[in-house]
């Protein structure tokens, strides 16, 4: 009798653990509304908008031969004319 009760409790505990794990996995895999909007915008062909300075600033790097800012196209580059 004790074995049947212990076995039943063990099966119940495993079932509850599996249910909690499955719910946790499904909650983590859901995307937020903002993420879904970003995916939708990229799939519509809006693409990536890159804002660079006109003659200096972001996307410009110092060219020592020209002694002036030269367009690099990289957002990490930043140049200010002196």
């Amino acid at each position: 009798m004790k074995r049947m009760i212990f076995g039943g409790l063990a099966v119940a505990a495993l079932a509850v653990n599996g249910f909690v794990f499955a719910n946790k996995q499904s909650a983590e895999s859901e995307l937020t509304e903002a993420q879904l909007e970003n995916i939708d915008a990229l799939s519509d062909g809006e693409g990536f908008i890159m804002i660079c300075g006109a003659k200096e600033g972001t996307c410009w790097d110092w060219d020592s031969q020209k002694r002036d800012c030269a367009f690099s196209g990289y957002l990490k580059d930043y140049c200010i004319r002196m």
Side-chain angles (χ1 to χ4, degrees):
M1 182 71 171
K2 288 182 182 180
R3 282 187 177 179
M4 291 176 69
I5 293 173
F6 181 72
L9 288 175
V11 169
L14 288 173
V16 168
N17 191 18
F19 179 74
V20 169
F21 181 74
N23 281 341
K24 182 180 177 187
Q25 292 289 37
S26 67
E28 288 178 355
S29 66
E30 292 178 8
L31 296 174
T32 65
E33 191 67 31
Q35 290 171 326
L36 291 174
E37 287 177 10
N38 286 341
I39 292 170
D40 188 36
L42 290 174
S43 66
D44 286 343
E46 291 180 19
F48 179 76
I49 299 171
M50 192 164 113
I51 300 173
C52 296
K55 297 284 184 184
E56 63 183 11
T58 307
C59 302
W60 293 82
D61 196 17
W62 182 254
D63 187 347
S64 58
Q65 292 177 345
K66 294 181 182 178
R67 295 182 181 240
D68 198 6
C69 295
F71 184 75
S72 68
Y74 294 106
L75 289 173
K76 66 178 181 69
D77 291 336
Y78 194 85
C79 180
I80 298 176
R81 291 182 173 157
M82 297 190 186

